[in-house]
Amino acid sequence: KSTLKVGEALLLEFQVPKVTNFLINGSIAHITKLRSGAETQHIVGVKFTNSMRYQREIEHLVAAVIEAHTRERENIASEYGIFFDDW
């Protein structure tokens, strides 16, 4: 169960080893419940309140995630012959 509420202030720490590590303030913009069988997941949207100050770090973080995802897709494609661009 989640005790989070829309509008609640947060201090989030972003950590990607060997890439970046920083704190950023935000607030909960929305909460969506997803049910899968007997389980419930909460998808939480966050609005960053000092994002301009950390714009470079956020861009670096997003680029690192995209790069890791692309590398993972390439590994799957080469190992299993699955080419995601054909989907």
Side-chain angles (χ1 to χ4, degrees):
K1 294 188 175 189
S2 174
T3 60
L4 299 174
K5 305 243 183 287
V6 172
E8 184 176 343
L10 302 170
L11 179 62
L12 301 169
E13 182 176 12
F14 285 91
Q15 295 181 350
V16 178
K18 300 179 184 177
V19 176
T20 189
N21 183 1
F22 61 96
L23 295 171
I24 188 166
N25 292 310
S27 63
I28 297 177
H30 68 84
I31 301 173
T32 304
K33 290 182 184 179
L34 298 177
R35 293 186 184 214
S36 175
E39 296 180 8
T40 301
Q41 294 181 355
H42 294 85
I43 307 300
V44 179
V46 176
K47 177 181 178 184
F48 300 118
T49 54
N50 58 346
S51 58
M52 292 306 291
R53 178 177 175 193
Y54 294 102
Q55 183 174 352
R56 182 175 294 157
E57 286 86 350
I58 292 170
E59 289 173 354
H60 191 64
L61 174 64
V62 169
V65 169
I66 290 171
E67 182 180 322
H69 181 67
T70 301
R71 203 171 30 250
E72 182 180 14
R73 283 177 45 158
E74 289 171 354
N75 290 341
I76 291 170
S78 66
E79 185 174 345
Y80 297 104
I82 298 172
F83 298 100
F84 294 98
D85 294 338
D86 294 340
W87 287 17

